[in-house]
Amino acid sequence: MVFAADLNFSLPWTNPVLIFSIILFIILFAPLLLNRLRIPQLIGLIIAGAMIGPNGFNLLERDSSVVLFGTVGLFYIMFLAGLEIDLADFKKNSGKSVVFGLYTFVIPMVLGTLAGLYLLDFGMATSVLLASMFASHTLIAYPIISKMGITKNKAVNITVGGTMITDTLALLVLAVVVGMSTGQMGNEFWIRMSISILIFAAIVVFLFPLMGRWFFKNNDDNISQYIFVLALVFLAAFLAEAAGIEGIIGAFLAGLALNKLIPTTSPLMNRIEFVGNALFIPFFLIGVGMLIDYRVFFSDIETIFVAVVMTVVATVSKYLAAFFTQKTFKFSSAQRDVIFGLSNAQAAATLAAVLVGYNVIIGENPDGSPIRLLGESILNGTILMILVTCTVASVIAQKGAYKLALEEEEAPAEGEESQAPEEKILIPVNYPENIEELVHLGVTIKSKESKNSLIALNIIPTDATDERMEKKAKKLLEKASICASATDNILTELIRYDSNVVHGITNVVKENKATDIILGLHKEQEISGSFLGRLTEGILGKSNITAMIYHSNQPLNTIERYIVVIPKNAEKEMGFVMALLRIWNIGRNTGAKLLFYASPETMKYIEQVHKKFSIEAGFNLFPDWEDFLIISRDMKDNDALVVLMSRKNGVSYDEVMNKLPKYLNKYFNKHNYILIYPMQFDFDEKGYISYGGTSIFNPLLQGVNLEDFTETVGKIFRKK
């Protein structure tokens, strides 16, 4: 037993329980207190770290535990940046990322080298190494951008891509300058570094996705999945360091490699963001604050001068890079501020460079003291530069992100409906084995803004007297709620007593004004030979909403491609646009490629929708549904099939649809597949289509033209 008299309260505190509790209270209260002063949360944590650190009140040491957790936080920031990036947009804007990456590398390198040579009177090697510190940056303001919900914006995408380029180039400059200063440069140096970097990149880019897909397909334990992802991040960081570059590059590359396996709507993504933002990233910021020593700025004039020059050059050069990027790509001022805010903070790579340069001894003074590549004044000046640039970056990023978020949520143009249709997605549940996948599909197809659009339903026969049926129903619905809450969504639970399951479901559809229904098939269940069976055909016949029949054979996040087959004249169906929106959300929220098969006439309309989203898609002409089995030849192991169907009275109905149960059971049973029936609309007295209780646009009749269709797409997709 430990008594109070045995506890050591001398400074700095060493009790691990006390240390951890103090840091947790700082993470909790520092942002709350400083927010009242309009100081960004990130700066609040850095200031708190400076106050409790060895150079402040000396409450805590910057020991190995703080360094460890801080390293995790730094890698977390870079990993999240790679994980949340829109890969389709990233590929589309890769050229722009290269341009920004070169701007934000070359401008600081030029200005930094000149400042080192002519203002600080350093040698060429020291000046170039100093400039490389300005060229690199840390995405310390990324959590601000993420909370504002603008991570998909083009400016953010380009900045994140450019970060990888400039940090890599800056760290290569560091390696070259150090190699030259220590006499290690030569052909062997370049060959060894090139081969090691290629091996590292190949392992992360090609092997990590294979490992991840195999693990997620064979292990559905939430904790195991999180630990697996964290292990891959640190393995990638270690491989990067073994290859001669900083671990932050490995963490970022790991995020890119696992991007498609961890959709933004998945529970795993929610857990990754929660743990990082709640614990690891604040630890990193507090650790950065502990490095700040305000006393050095009052003890040495040279240190003050060097620190001011470094801070001004670093800030000005990063602003110029953001300014030229804005002018080159005609971005708004808010986008420029976001680019500048994300790229101005100096922390991780800068610290690595200054510590490496400080430890490289290139000579000896007459008194025997060592001559370092980067001296004491630069080491101390770096601390001030980190503090100022992190502060400026956080303030500017928050300001720009706020303006950009407002721009993205601008009111619609005059004459257009401003109210987004209210979604209600009904999910009847009966099998515990497929509840999780049904809820995940519901979360995937819905609009991102809607957090309470899911409804889970279980039907209990009215003549049932066994109380166990009600208990079973409650357990099924509780499991569905837990699955939804893991993705930060609210699910409504409904139990219905009815003698007829079809009547029970269709009545719930009407009472709740549901817009979509997802009907799940058990993994071992086949579609009835009499097409869909009485239950499904009854629901399709008695309700006009978008209906989906889902057969799950593997987790949604492990699907690489969705083969989407669309019948001729599908664009003439009243609910075609809404059905296509659901398909687009699947591609956008999972990162999987959509491969469309449709007739030439229908493909024109699909391509109009494609212009609204930056997702990876392919288009193949498929005019004759009699050749449906050709699709099975194109299916790969991790592909899923999506078929846009039609009710028998629909204009796109084809007799081949009657053969689909046989085809699906025989050729596609080992794959995921979704059959989508577009909704049939109701009309109000003015001739408008009523969707989810909201009149939103003029009806698309059978004679729809491309111009009217494009206008309709714009109205529907505005809030999506």
Side-chain angles (χ1 to χ4, degrees):
M1 180 179 294
V2 178
F3 295 96
D6 299 324
L7 295 175
N8 182 9
F9 289 100
S10 60
L11 299 179
W13 293 324
T14 56
N15 186 295
V17 178
L18 180 61
I19 291 174
F20 198 72
S21 63
I22 290 296
I23 289 180
L24 290 180
F25 276 115
I26 290 173
I27 294 173
L28 176 62
F29 289 113
L32 295 177
L33 295 174
L34 293 171
N35 275 345
R36 295 184 178 181
L37 303 175
R38 297 187 178 181
I39 297 176
Q41 177 178 342
L42 305 183
I43 299 306
L45 292 171
I46 293 175
I47 293 174
M51 293 175 63
I52 67 169
N55 302 312
F57 294 114
N58 195 30
L59 301 181
L60 304 178
E61 286 185 322
R62 194 173 187 271
D63 57 13
S64 58
S65 61
V66 175
V67 173
L68 173 61
F69 276 92
T71 302
V72 176
L74 174 59
F75 290 167
Y76 231 99
I77 292 175
M78 298 302 296
F79 173 63
L80 281 175
L83 197 61
E84 293 183 348
I85 198 170
D86 189 325
L87 280 184
D89 202 39
F90 182 69
K91 293 177 182 177
K92 182 179 178 181
N93 296 300
S94 58
K96 295 178 180 178
S97 292
V98 171
V99 172
F100 169 70
L102 292 177
Y103 276 150
T104 199
F105 174 75
V106 173
I107 295 175
M109 283 297 299
V110 172
L111 294 183
T113 302
L114 293 176
L117 289 173
Y118 299 108
L119 292 180
L120 302 176
D121 200 25
F122 293 153
M124 177 58 75
T126 301
S127 298
V128 171
L129 185 55
L130 185 68
S132 72
M133 292 164 54
F134 304 152
S136 66
H137 59 253
T138 302
L139 297 173
I140 202 170
Y142 189 82
I144 295 176
I145 304 300
S146 182
K147 287 182 180 179
M148 289 288 186
I150 59 169
T151 56
K152 304 295 184 182
N153 188 275
K154 186 183 296 183
V156 177
N157 211 307
I158 289 172
T159 307
V160 172
T163 297
M164 183 175 66
I165 295 170
T166 190
D167 280 2
T168 302
L169 292 175
L171 293 170
L172 286 175
V173 170
L174 170 64
V176 171
V177 172
V178 171
M180 292 176 62
S181 301
T182 56
Q184 296 177 358
M185 288 293 291
N187 293 333
E188 183 182 349
F189 170 84
W190 290 108
I191 294 173
R192 184 175 67 252
M193 174 170 282
S194 301
I195 293 176
S196 60
I197 291 176
L198 287 175
I199 293 174
F200 146 71
I203 291 174
V204 176
V205 172
F206 298 109
L207 187 58
F208 275 29
L210 294 177
M211 293 167 58
R213 184 166 281 107
W214 173 85
F215 189 88
F216 293 145
K217 287 174 70 173
N218 293 279
N219 193 315
D220 59 359
D221 179 69
N222 296 326
I223 297 176
S224 297
Q225 289 184 352
Y226 178 79
I227 298 300
F228 172 76
V229 169
L230 205 60
L232 286 187
V233 173
F234 275 85
L235 176 59
F238 169 75
L239 292 174
E241 292 180 350
I245 56 179
E246 278 296 306
I248 55 175
I249 303 298
F252 178 76
L253 208 58
L256 290 179
L258 298 176
N259 184 288
K260 291 187 176 182
L261 294 174
I262 308 177
T264 55
T265 56
S266 67
L268 181 56
M269 173 65 90
N270 194 40
R271 294 185 186 97
I272 290 172
E273 290 182 330
F274 174 78
V275 175
N277 291 323
L279 192 62
F280 293 131
I281 294 175
F283 248 102
F284 164 68
L285 297 171
I286 292 172
V288 170
M290 287 183 173
L291 291 170
I292 298 172
D293 185 1
Y294 65 91
R295 289 169 297 189
V296 301
F297 310 125
F298 301 100
S299 60
D300 189 355
I301 296 296
E302 182 185 357
T303 296
I304 297 175
F305 179 68
V306 171
V308 170
V309 171
M310 291 174 64
T311 304
V312 171
V313 172
T315 303
V316 170
S317 60
K318 289 298 183 181
Y319 178 81
L320 289 175
F323 177 79
F324 286 131
T325 303
Q326 176 199 6
K327 296 302 180 183
T328 302
F329 303 121
K330 299 180 180 178
F331 286 160
S332 66
S333 60
Q335 288 176 306
R336 180 201 62 215
D337 289 344
V338 167
I339 294 173
F340 175 54
L342 280 174
S343 62
N344 186 48
Q346 308 287 324
T350 305
L351 280 173
V354 72
L355 291 175
V356 170
Y358 182 77
N359 290 325
V360 174
I361 298 174
I362 56 177
E364 190 175 287
N365 290 311
D367 60 359
S369 60
I371 300 175
R372 303 179 184 275
L373 186 58
L374 296 180
E376 291 275 357
S377 60
I378 296 179
L379 179 63
N380 293 325
T382 301
I383 304 303
L384 176 63
M385 181 178 68
I386 289 174
L387 174 62
V388 175
T389 57
C390 287
T391 302
V392 172
S394 300
V395 172
I396 298 299
Q398 184 165 289
K399 174 187 172 185
Y402 180 75
K403 289 168 59 179
L404 198 55
L406 289 179
E407 287 179 5
E408 292 186 349
E409 295 179 5
E410 268 186 343
E414 186 177 352
E416 293 185 0
E417 193 68 41
S418 61
Q419 182 182 0
E422 183 182 1
E423 294 177 321
K424 293 292 181 183
I425 301 173
L426 181 64
I427 308 173
V429 295
N430 194 40
Y431 304 110
E433 295 84 1
N434 67 352
I435 287 178
E436 189 170 354
E437 283 301 301
L438 289 176
V439 173
H440 288 175
L441 179 61
V443 171
T444 301
I445 66 170
K446 75 177 188 65
S447 299
K448 185 177 181 181
E449 296 79 8
S450 179
K451 294 293 184 182
N452 60 347
S453 59
L454 302 180
I455 303 172
L457 169 69
N458 186 267
I459 303 292
I460 299 177
T462 52
D463 57 356
T465 58
D466 193 345
E467 293 183 359
R468 288 179 297 180
M469 294 192 68
E470 184 173 347
K471 291 181 179 179
K472 177 186 175 183
K474 289 181 178 179
K475 286 185 178 180
L476 291 174
L477 296 175
E478 183 181 1
K479 182 176 181 180
S481 289
I482 292 173
C483 293
S485 63
T487 62
D488 200 22
N489 284 278
I490 300 171
L491 180 141
T492 303
E493 301 178 19
L494 289 180
I495 293 179
R496 181 84 181 207
Y497 293 88
D498 205 301
S499 58
N500 186 292
V501 176
V502 173
H503 289 165
I505 294 176
T506 54
N507 286 336
V508 169
V509 168
K510 294 176 182 177
E511 292 167 5
N512 292 273
K513 295 183 179 180
T515 56
D516 304 79
I517 185 170
I518 299 176
L519 303 170
L521 296 175
H522 192 276
K523 288 187 178 182
E524 305 300 326
Q525 181 181 347
E526 294 183 343
I527 288 186
S528 169
S530 61
F531 196 46
L532 299 175
R534 294 180 182 179
L535 173 63
T536 307
E537 288 193 333
I539 294 172
L540 289 174
K542 294 180 179 294
S543 65
N544 60 359
I545 63 176
T546 302
M548 300 185 185
I549 302 170
Y550 180 40
H551 173 268
S552 173
N553 193 63
Q554 67 184 79
L556 273 172
N557 63 313
T558 62
I559 301 298
E560 291 187 67
R561 299 189 309 171
Y562 285 88
I563 308 297
V564 184
V565 186
I566 298 180
K568 187 177 180 180
N569 295 322
E571 72 278 4
K572 298 176 183 178
E573 294 277 358
M574 294 297 180
F576 175 66
V577 178
M578 301 312 302
L580 208 56
L581 172 64
R582 299 309 184 202
I583 296 172
W584 236 259
N585 280 345
I586 291 174
R588 180 173 60 170
N589 291 327
T590 65
K593 182 178 181 178
L594 301 178
L595 195 57
F596 288 94
Y597 288 77
S599 65
E601 296 80 9
T602 305
M603 195 68 79
K604 295 177 183 177
Y605 297 89
I606 297 173
E607 290 175 348
Q608 287 297 315
V609 179
H610 181 235
K611 294 178 181 178
K612 299 292 176 181
F613 290 124
S614 295
I615 68 170
E616 191 175 1
F619 306 95
N620 293 323
L621 295 181
F622 187 65
D624 192 356
W625 265 48
E626 292 292 341
D627 298 329
F628 191 90
L629 287 182
I630 294 177
I631 302 296
S632 63
R633 302 175 191 172
D634 295 338
M635 296 284 289
K636 299 178 181 179
D637 287 342
N638 294 306
D639 286 350
L641 179 68
V642 178
V643 184
L644 197 64
M645 303 288 286
S646 175
R647 293 167 170 85
K648 288 188 177 181
N649 59 345
V651 293
S652 64
Y653 179 77
D654 193 301
E655 289 294 334
V656 177
M657 293 180 183
N658 288 324
K659 302 177 183 178
L660 274 185
K662 176 182 175 182
Y663 294 159
L664 293 174
N665 292 335
K666 186 174 182 179
Y667 299 102
F668 301 96
N669 202 40
K670 293 183 179 180
H671 296 271
N672 285 17
Y673 59 76
I674 308 172
L675 305 182
I676 303 179
Y677 288 81
M679 68 165 55
Q680 301 295 317
F681 292 103
D682 296 325
F683 298 90
D684 61 19
E685 64 275 7
K686 295 182 180 180
Y688 278 72
I689 293 172
S690 178
Y691 167 57
T694 304
S695 297
I696 52 173
F697 61 100
N698 284 313
L700 296 175
L701 303 178
Q702 292 188 19
V704 63
N705 59 56
L706 193 59
E707 183 178 347
D708 291 339
F709 180 86
T710 304
E711 182 181 355
T712 299
V713 167
K715 291 180 179 180
I716 294 179
F717 281 51
R718 178 178 311 283
K719 294 291 186 180
K720 305 299 180 183

